[in-house]
Amino acid sequence: MHPKENVSLKDYSTMRVGGTAKYFAEVTSETELVELIEWANKNKQKTIAIGGGSNIIWSDQGYDGLVILNRIKGHEIVSVDNDKVIVRLASGEDWDEMVQWSVDNKLSGIEQLSWIPGRVGATPVQNVGAYGKEVGDVLVSVRAYDKNKMCFVEISKDDCQLGYRSSRFKLSDKGRFIIVSITLELDKKYASPPFYASLQEYFDNNNITEYTPENIRRGVIAIRSKKLPDPDIVANNGSFFANPVIDKSKFENLKTKFPEIVSWPTDDGKIKLSAGWLVEHAGFKDYHDLDTG
């Protein structure tokens, strides 16, 4: 592998801004990845692996090291039983294309995560979630290259330390692992109510009572396309905020003042608030910070 030098990073972020990478290379296999890491270590260069660039805003100073563009492809059904199907997805695959693939195979589990930009490898890092579903709900394991141990490792779901929009890959072990594939357990049975409020509203408005993966995916895309611009057309990082989670006692105080506040209970007894509702009722819906110049 021979990395390129002084490559502009503007084309490797959906915000389309940033300086240059000192070194840049694309990988399409695990073998190429290992060769690049060995090259970087030999030449004393730090490394960062990227996918779709939808969660990156590059500095104008660029990146003083080796940027590795992950384009490792591949997806397969590993095993099938009466109710479940185990699938393996390579980290360089486009996430939404893999959601479509699961829907085409009439598998349920990730259709609510439709139209989320980025690559497969990023999904466990953020424990990507939307419309009442998270990757952690179906994740079995992650295969990754451990830059500390200099070898590939298989990390179980429990060892990923998944939380709300977080994981060990984002927090305690940020930068240590380069994810090369994930294994998911999908369902032959279709999802059933209750659904996220806006998704249920879509079903009601369109007289949909059969909750197939295709119908759910179509609904999610319809909702998201009204809220977020296509990053291929308008430079943006999509929806990156997290819904705040508070103690039940604090929620009861808020509920007294704002009876209509939108919320959901969490598995650990706390309350998750709708960030969208909070933004809107704070007066910032459709607010734009314009350069008046």
Side-chain angles (χ1 to χ4, degrees):
M1 300 294 292
H2 298 285
K4 299 177 182 178
E5 296 185 42
N6 300 318
V7 174
S8 173
L9 292 169
K10 291 181 180 180
D11 293 332
Y12 300 99
S13 165
T14 55
M15 283 297 288
R16 298 193 282 279
V17 296
T20 60
K22 184 177 181 181
Y23 296 103
F24 184 94
E26 177 180 323
V27 296
T28 60
S29 70
E30 293 184 3
T31 300
E32 291 179 352
L33 175 61
V34 172
E35 290 177 2
L36 273 178
I37 295 297
E38 291 176 347
W39 179 92
N41 290 339
K42 180 181 178 180
N43 290 276
K44 298 180 180 177
Q45 298 296 320
K46 63 181 181 178
T47 60
I48 183 173
I50 65 171
S54 57
N55 62 345
I56 298 174
I57 298 179
W58 296 108
S59 164
D60 287 342
Q61 283 70 48
Y63 185 78
D64 186 25
L66 171 64
V67 175
I68 301 172
L69 180 66
N70 183 345
R71 290 297 180 263
I72 301 174
K73 299 292 186 70
H75 54 278
E76 62 177 334
I77 293 176
V78 177
S79 64
V80 180
D81 64 19
N82 291 336
D83 299 316
K84 304 291 185 178
V85 177
I86 304 297
V87 303
R88 184 178 294 116
L89 311 177
S91 56
E93 291 279 9
D94 181 272
W95 171 252
D96 193 55
E97 289 180 7
M98 292 299 94
V99 176
Q100 182 64 65
W101 174 75
S102 73
V103 168
D104 291 342
N105 282 276
K106 302 186 185 307
L107 300 177
S108 179
I110 56 176
E111 59 271 28
Q112 277 122 309
L113 307 182
S114 292
W115 222 56
I116 293 177
R119 302 281 165 161
V120 166
T123 58
V125 176
Q126 183 79 354
N127 190 16
V128 165
Y131 301 98
K133 199 73 174 180
E134 294 179 334
V135 164
D137 296 332
V138 295
L139 186 68
V140 175
S141 64
V142 168
R143 177 173 168 80
Y145 186 81
D146 185 338
K147 292 194 287 186
N148 288 358
K149 296 181 177 180
M150 300 292 289
C151 65
F152 288 100
V153 293
E154 195 79 18
I155 305 171
S156 70
K157 171 185 173 178
D158 290 342
D159 287 337
C160 290
Q161 300 171 18
L162 300 176
Y164 176 60
R165 302 298 177 271
S166 69
S167 70
R168 67 184 294 188
F169 310 112
K170 181 180 178 181
L171 301 174
S172 60
D173 283 314
K174 183 178 181 179
R176 174 179 172 180
F177 298 99
I178 298 177
I179 296 172
V180 294
S181 68
I182 66 173
T183 300
L184 306 179
E185 183 182 71
L186 303 182
D187 209 318
K188 291 182 180 179
K189 296 180 180 179
Y190 296 163
S192 59
F195 291 107
Y196 200 84
S198 59
L199 186 55
Q200 185 61 60
E201 182 180 6
Y202 170 86
F203 292 148
D204 294 342
N205 291 341
N206 291 275
N207 299 313
I208 295 173
T209 56
E210 187 177 5
Y211 307 117
T212 65
E214 180 60 40
N215 281 341
I216 292 175
R217 173 171 167 77
R218 188 179 295 115
V220 169
I221 291 175
I223 296 168
R224 288 181 67 88
S225 62
K226 291 181 179 179
K227 294 182 177 181
L228 298 168
D230 186 338
D232 289 336
I233 300 173
V234 179
N236 74 91
N237 279 116
S239 174
F240 54 84
F241 61 76
N243 292 320
V245 178
I246 62 175
D247 292 331
K248 197 169 184 178
S249 60
K250 292 182 179 179
F251 170 72
E252 294 300 334
N253 290 334
L254 281 174
K255 186 76 172 176
T256 301
K257 297 179 181 179
F258 308 99
E260 73 281 11
I261 191 170
V262 178
S263 64
W264 308 271
T266 64
D267 293 338
D268 59 1
K270 294 186 177 182
I271 304 295
K272 183 187 297 184
L273 305 180
S274 166
W277 186 94
L278 293 171
V279 169
E280 180 176 351
H281 285 76
F284 288 102
K285 182 179 180 180
D286 293 328
Y287 176 82
H288 298 272
D289 184 9
L290 298 179
D291 181 6
T292 57

